[in-house]
Amino acid sequence: MNINGSVFAAMLTPMNDQGDVAPENVGVLVDHILSRGVHGLYASGSTGESVLQSREERAEVLTALADHAAGKTTLIAHVGAASTREAVALAELAGEKGYDAVSAVPPYYYKHRYEDIVAYYTAIADASGLPLIIYNIPALSGTDLSTEKLLELMEDPRIAGVKYTAQDLFQFGELKKAAPEKKLYFGTDEMFIGAAAAGADGGIGSTYNLIGDLYLAVETAIAAGDVDRARRAQRMANDFIAILLRAGVVPGLKHCLNRLGVPVGSVRAPFSPVSAAGAKELDAWMESVNLSLGNGAAKALD
C-alpha cells in the first residue's frame, strides 16, 4: 500500500462569490499547485472548508479533482466526517474515482469512546479499499489520541500512517521510532523543519497551495545536510504564516491565489474575506519575494 511522494498540498476548495463550491475551477488550482513541484493533493480537509459543506458538495469537489488529475499525481481524499455513514459514502467514492489513499479526522463534536473511533476507521478502510491515513489534529477535532492509541490503530495493515497536525515533536518522534514502516506526514507548516529533521516522511499543509516549493526546499536541504538553507526556507515560510495568522489562514490564502489569477473565489460564512489591512500585508509579502504565476517563492533563496 504505497503512497508516492512526500509533499502534498492540503487543497483549498474553489468557490464562487456566493460561497457555492466551484468544481469547474479545481483544474486551474491543481495545475498551479503542481507547477511549484509538490507531489500531490490532499483534498476536502480543513483547508478545503469541508466541515462547512454538505456531503454532496464534497463529492463534487472530489470528483472534479479525480477527473482532472487521477493517474497524473498522487491524490488523497479526506473523507472524515461527524458520522460514520457520511465518511463511508465519501470513502466509497474515493475508491471508485481512482484516489491513491483516503484520510480521516476522528469523528468530531461528540466525545466518542475509543472503541467507536476504531470502528469508524475500520468502516472507512473497508469502504475505500485504499491506504488510510489518520488525520490527527486534536486542536480542532477535540480528540487527542495518545501515542499508544495511535500505534494501536496503525496495527491495522490498511492504515498507512498519520497526518500529524500538532506541535508535539516528541510524540511525533516516538511514533516514527515505534512504527518506522508507517508514513508520518507533518501538518504544522510553521514547524516543518523540525519534523523533517526528526525523520518525517513528508508534509501535508495548507500554505503549500501557494508556497509548496519552500517546503520542498526545506525537505531537500535537510536531506543534504544544508541546515542554513533549510532555516532560510522555513523562515521565509514563517514570515508569510505570521501574516496569515493575523489575516485568517483560509481567507488569506484565497486572497493571494486570486491575486495571482488563480480563481479560488471567496470563503464560506462564517469565514469572511480578509480585511483591507490584511490584504495590504499579504500583498506586500508577495511583492517582497517576487511571487507570481511564473515565479515561486523559493527562487528568492538563491
Side-chain angles (χ1 to χ4, degrees):
M1 304 184 89
N2 191 41
I3 301 171
N4 293 322
S6 58
V7 176
F8 306 104
M11 194 182 83
L12 293 160
T13 295
M15 294 189 180
N16 60 29
D17 290 338
Q18 288 71 49
D20 298 319
V21 297
E24 67 274 11
N25 289 333
V26 165
V28 178
L29 173 61
V30 168
D31 290 347
H32 174 70
I33 293 170
L34 295 178
S35 75
R36 297 298 194 236
V38 302
H39 304 139
L41 290 305
Y42 180 100
S44 197
S46 305
T47 308
E49 302 172 77
S50 65
V51 298
L52 304 180
Q53 297 164 28
S54 68
R55 182 178 73 189
E56 291 75 19
E57 288 175 313
R58 294 178 69 185
E60 277 190 82
V61 173
L62 291 174
T63 298
L65 176 57
D67 289 347
H68 183 77
K72 301 175 185 177
T73 191
T74 298
L75 299 183
I76 303 169
H78 174 259
V79 301
S83 79
T84 302
R85 177 177 292 189
E86 295 282 309
V88 163
L90 291 169
E92 289 174 344
L93 176 69
E96 294 165 2
K97 291 295 182 180
Y99 275 78
D100 298 285
V102 293
S103 181
V105 70
Y108 46 84
Y109 188 77
Y110 296 109
K111 297 294 184 184
H112 295 286
R113 296 184 312 133
Y114 173 70
E115 293 77 10
D116 294 333
I117 294 172
V118 172
Y120 164 88
Y121 280 120
T122 299
I124 291 170
D126 289 343
S128 73
L130 299 171
L132 169 59
I133 300 166
I134 296 166
Y135 182 8
N136 184 56
I137 183 168
L140 294 184
S141 70
T143 298
D144 193 357
L145 294 167
S146 68
T147 304
E148 293 72 24
K149 295 302 185 188
L150 284 167
L151 290 172
E152 186 176 323
L153 282 166
M154 286 193 284
E155 289 176 3
D156 185 329
R158 299 171 300 175
I159 294 183
V162 176
K163 178 182 186 283
Y164 188 90
T165 304
Q167 297 182 339
D168 190 346
L169 281 172
F170 175 76
Q171 184 186 41
F172 184 82
E174 291 298 287
L175 290 168
K176 189 62 189 171
K177 178 182 177 182
E181 75 285 3
K182 299 293 185 176
K183 298 281 190 178
L184 291 182
Y185 303 105
F186 202 65
T188 304
D189 296 8
E190 62 270 28
M191 297 176 65
F192 181 63
I193 187 173
D201 293 288
I204 302 172
S206 56
T207 58
Y208 299 21
N209 282 270
L210 190 73
I211 54 170
D213 53 333
L214 284 177
Y215 299 96
L216 283 166
V218 171
E219 182 180 66
T220 303
I222 288 293
D226 190 346
V227 176
D228 177 68
R229 182 175 175 84
R231 284 175 177 161
R232 288 189 291 115
Q234 185 70 67
R235 180 66 266 163
M236 189 181 296
N238 285 2
D239 288 343
F240 175 57
I241 291 168
I243 300 170
L244 273 184
L245 291 174
R246 292 191 291 271
V249 174
V250 177
L253 285 168
K254 285 194 163 182
H255 168 82
C256 292
L257 284 158
N258 284 324
R259 186 176 186 269
L260 289 180
V262 180
V264 291
S266 188
V267 286
R268 174 164 290 183
F271 281 131
S272 60
V274 295
S275 66
K280 184 177 179 180
E281 274 198 281
L282 291 165
D283 292 350
W285 183 85
M286 292 174 71
E287 290 169 7
S288 74
V289 298
N290 195 29
L291 187 61
S292 66
L293 276 177
N295 192 71
K299 290 185 180 179
L301 296 170
D302 300 320

Short mmCIF file of all heavy atoms in Angstrom, two decimals, residues 21 53-61 86 90:
data_model
loop_
_atom_site.label_atom_id
_atom_site.label_comp_id
_atom_site.label_asym_id
_atom_site.label_seq_id
_atom_site.Cartn_x
_atom_site.Cartn_y
_atom_site.Cartn_z
N VAL A 21 -19.62 25.98 -3.98
CA VAL A 21 -18.43 25.31 -4.50
C VAL A 21 -18.39 25.48 -6.02
O VAL A 21 -19.43 25.50 -6.69
CB VAL A 21 -18.37 23.82 -4.11
CG1 VAL A 21 -18.27 23.65 -2.61
CG2 VAL A 21 -19.55 23.04 -4.67
N GLN A 53 -19.37 22.15 4.37
CA GLN A 53 -20.00 21.68 3.13
C GLN A 53 -20.84 20.45 3.37
O GLN A 53 -20.59 19.65 4.29
CB GLN A 53 -18.92 21.37 2.09
CG GLN A 53 -18.10 22.56 1.66
CD GLN A 53 -16.83 22.14 0.95
OE1 GLN A 53 -16.77 21.08 0.33
NE2 GLN A 53 -15.80 22.96 1.07
N SER A 54 -21.82 20.25 2.50
CA SER A 54 -22.61 19.02 2.52
C SER A 54 -21.79 17.88 1.92
O SER A 54 -20.79 18.10 1.23
CB SER A 54 -23.90 19.20 1.72
OG SER A 54 -23.59 19.34 0.33
N ARG A 55 -22.26 16.67 2.15
CA ARG A 55 -21.59 15.51 1.54
C ARG A 55 -21.61 15.63 0.03
O ARG A 55 -20.64 15.28 -0.65
CB ARG A 55 -22.27 14.22 1.98
CG ARG A 55 -21.58 12.96 1.43
CD ARG A 55 -22.26 11.71 1.92
NE ARG A 55 -23.55 11.49 1.28
CZ ARG A 55 -24.42 10.56 1.65
NH1 ARG A 55 -24.16 9.79 2.68
NH2 ARG A 55 -25.55 10.42 1.01
N GLU A 56 -22.71 16.11 -0.52
CA GLU A 56 -22.84 16.23 -1.97
C GLU A 56 -21.83 17.22 -2.54
O GLU A 56 -21.24 16.99 -3.60
CB GLU A 56 -24.26 16.65 -2.34
CG GLU A 56 -25.33 15.60 -2.07
CD GLU A 56 -25.68 15.44 -0.60
OE1 GLU A 56 -25.38 16.37 0.19
OE2 GLU A 56 -26.23 14.39 -0.22
N GLU A 57 -21.62 18.31 -1.83
CA GLU A 57 -20.64 19.29 -2.29
C GLU A 57 -19.23 18.72 -2.21
O GLU A 57 -18.41 18.92 -3.13
CB GLU A 57 -20.73 20.56 -1.43
CG GLU A 57 -21.97 21.39 -1.68
CD GLU A 57 -22.09 22.56 -0.73
OE1 GLU A 57 -21.91 22.36 0.49
OE2 GLU A 57 -22.35 23.68 -1.20
N ARG A 58 -18.92 18.04 -1.15
CA ARG A 58 -17.60 17.43 -1.03
C ARG A 58 -17.38 16.41 -2.15
O ARG A 58 -16.30 16.31 -2.73
CB ARG A 58 -17.43 16.77 0.34
CG ARG A 58 -17.42 17.75 1.50
CD ARG A 58 -17.31 17.05 2.84
NE ARG A 58 -15.99 16.44 3.01
CZ ARG A 58 -15.66 15.69 4.07
NH1 ARG A 58 -16.55 15.43 5.01
NH2 ARG A 58 -14.45 15.17 4.16
N ALA A 59 -18.42 15.66 -2.46
CA ALA A 59 -18.33 14.68 -3.54
C ALA A 59 -18.09 15.36 -4.88
O ALA A 59 -17.32 14.84 -5.72
CB ALA A 59 -19.60 13.84 -3.59
N GLU A 60 -18.71 16.51 -5.10
CA GLU A 60 -18.47 17.26 -6.35
C GLU A 60 -17.00 17.63 -6.50
O GLU A 60 -16.43 17.50 -7.58
CB GLU A 60 -19.30 18.55 -6.34
CG GLU A 60 -20.74 18.44 -6.76
CD GLU A 60 -21.34 19.82 -6.93
OE1 GLU A 60 -21.14 20.44 -7.99
OE2 GLU A 60 -22.00 20.29 -5.98
N VAL A 61 -16.42 18.13 -5.41
CA VAL A 61 -15.03 18.56 -5.46
C VAL A 61 -14.10 17.36 -5.65
O VAL A 61 -13.17 17.40 -6.47
CB VAL A 61 -14.67 19.34 -4.18
CG1 VAL A 61 -13.17 19.66 -4.14
CG2 VAL A 61 -15.48 20.63 -4.09
N GLU A 86 -21.53 9.23 6.67
CA GLU A 86 -21.02 10.25 5.73
C GLU A 86 -19.61 9.89 5.27
O GLU A 86 -19.28 9.98 4.08
CB GLU A 86 -21.02 11.62 6.40
CG GLU A 86 -22.39 12.16 6.76
CD GLU A 86 -23.11 12.74 5.55
OE1 GLU A 86 -22.52 13.57 4.85
OE2 GLU A 86 -24.27 12.34 5.34
N LEU A 90 -18.19 8.87 1.30
CA LEU A 90 -17.11 9.57 0.61
C LEU A 90 -15.93 8.63 0.35
O LEU A 90 -15.25 8.73 -0.68
CB LEU A 90 -16.66 10.77 1.43
CG LEU A 90 -17.68 11.91 1.52
CD1 LEU A 90 -17.25 12.94 2.56
CD2 LEU A 90 -17.87 12.59 0.16
#
